[in-house]
Amino acid sequence: MKNIIITVITVCRNAEKTILPTMESVMRQTYPDIEYIIVDGDSSDNTLAMIERVAERFPIQYISEPDSGIYDAMNKGIGLASGEYICFLNAGDMLADQDVVRKVAAEIKKKGLGIYYGSIIYRHPGNVSEVRTYGKLCGKRIYYCTGDCINHQAVFAASSYLKTYKFDTSYKICGDREWMMRMHRRKAKFICMPFIICSYSLDGQSVSISNDSLYHLEAARCMKEYFPLEYVIFCLFEACRRNAFFSRILHGIYRLLYIRKR
């Protein structure tokens, strides 16, 4: 059986401080059939020059032009992709080890068409890191009632899904959540992989962290549209988060279930 071609897409803008480790984590993969695409949002710093230098020694397809947000940039990458599966590794994210893509390809060959996901490493300020596990429950629709969803960096999705159903650019923060919930409605198979996919920086700069109110508004919008019957459960979780006492309890349960030390 021929190898599956896997496309890795990095979207970035003014990422001269973070893009190089991301590119290096792709370059050191042992899996031979990787297509690497970088979509740069018309950076005004040295990001593009860094990409061009790396492209002299590693095959990278890249574009640099203005976009209307992260999901517009991700859709551009999807349009350029020729692989059978796609993952998004944004600037600052890094594949966990050199065999990640090889292990993912092996899972895909065994289990067929679907949306594959694994765990990730959260990198906190101060050189502290934790493993955020995504188990089988996280691939079920009931999981979204908690207000959580799988990080898109942990996902390898069939390109046929992404090319047919692109990201909704009316979302500014929760476009990946909306896409996953849409795929649940269309009966796509979510498959849990028992290993870590990548590391992800929780440095306080991400849009979801810096704009918490918009994040919750968009998450509620997703629930109303795709899982209206479960929306009441979602609202109960949101009410608990607004209460200091219950919020601490929820946070403790979350850490007990999903967070472990490295």
Side-chain angles (χ1 to χ4, degrees), residues 44-89:
S44 58
D45 64 2
N46 292 318
T47 301
L48 184 58
M50 296 174 70
I51 295 168
E52 290 172 338
R53 284 198 296 271
V54 172
E56 293 175 358
R57 55 191 173 93
F58 187 85
I60 300 174
Q61 183 180 357
Y62 60 91
I63 59 172
S64 181
E65 61 187 31
D67 57 57
S68 59
I70 186 171
Y71 299 113
D72 180 37
M74 291 166 77
N75 283 340
K76 289 181 181 182
I78 293 167
L80 295 170
S82 62
E84 290 127 293
Y85 277 78
I86 296 173
C87 76
F88 292 93
L89 193 71

Side-chain angles (χ1 to χ4, degrees), residues 5 20 23 45-47 94 98 104 138 153 194 254 262:
I5 298 173
L20 188 57
M23 291 190 288
D45 64 2
N46 292 318
T47 301
M94 293 174 285
Q98 64 184 10
V104 172
C138 301
Q153 294 92 336
Y254 164 82
R262 291 193 66 194

Side-chain angles (χ1 to χ4, degrees), residues 3-165:
N3 277 344
I4 298 164
I5 298 173
I6 293 182
T7 300
V8 180
I9 298 173
T10 293
V11 300
C12 60
R13 185 174 186 276
N14 292 338
E16 63 180 10
K17 296 180 180 179
T18 57
I19 188 70
L20 188 57
T22 301
M23 291 190 288
E24 289 175 340
S25 78
V26 177
M27 293 163 59
R28 70 169 180 258
Q29 290 299 301
T30 57
Y31 189 72
D33 293 296
I34 295 176
E35 175 186 58
Y36 192 25
I37 296 171
I38 299 180
V39 181
D40 174 62
D42 194 25
S43 289
S44 58
D45 64 2
N46 292 318
T47 301
L48 184 58
M50 296 174 70
I51 295 168
E52 290 172 338
R53 284 198 296 271
V54 172
E56 293 175 358
R57 55 191 173 93
F58 187 85
I60 300 174
Q61 183 180 357
Y62 60 91
I63 59 172
S64 181
E65 61 187 31
D67 57 57
S68 59
I70 186 171
Y71 299 113
D72 180 37
M74 291 166 77
N75 283 340
K76 289 181 181 182
I78 293 167
L80 295 170
S82 62
E84 290 127 293
Y85 277 78
I86 296 173
C87 76
F88 292 93
L89 193 71
N90 297 344
D93 304 334
M94 293 174 285
L95 294 169
D97 60 62
Q98 64 184 10
D99 294 319
V100 167
V101 178
R102 179 184 58 78
K103 290 185 288 187
V104 172
E107 291 288 315
I108 293 169
K109 284 185 177 181
K110 286 189 294 185
K111 298 175 182 175
L113 186 70
I115 297 169
Y116 291 77
Y117 65 93
S119 298
I120 63 175
I121 296 169
Y122 283 154
R123 303 195 316 272
H124 297 278
N127 201 31
V128 176
S129 61
E130 299 174 312
V131 175
R132 201 305 183 187
T133 61
Y134 287 109
K136 291 182 179 180
L137 177 63
C138 301
K140 308 294 184 184
R141 61 185 287 166
I142 192 67
Y143 180 64
Y144 296 91
C145 297
T146 67
D148 208 348
C149 74
I150 301 168
N151 286 67
H152 70 253
Q153 294 92 336
V155 172
F156 285 71
S159 60
S160 57
Y161 293 160
L162 285 162
K163 286 181 178 290
T164 304
Y165 307 106

Side-chain angles (χ1 to χ4, degrees), residues 214-228:
L214 180 59
Y215 177 85
H216 289 285
L217 283 172
E218 290 193 351
R221 176 185 164 192
C222 291
M223 289 297 299
K224 287 179 183 178
E225 182 169 358
Y226 294 108
F227 302 155

Side-chain angles (χ1 to χ4, degrees), residues 237 239-253:
F237 273 94
C240 287
R241 288 190 179 90
R242 289 192 292 270
N243 179 280
F245 174 74
F246 288 113
S247 179
R248 286 195 297 271
I249 292 175
L250 281 180
H251 185 67
I253 294 171

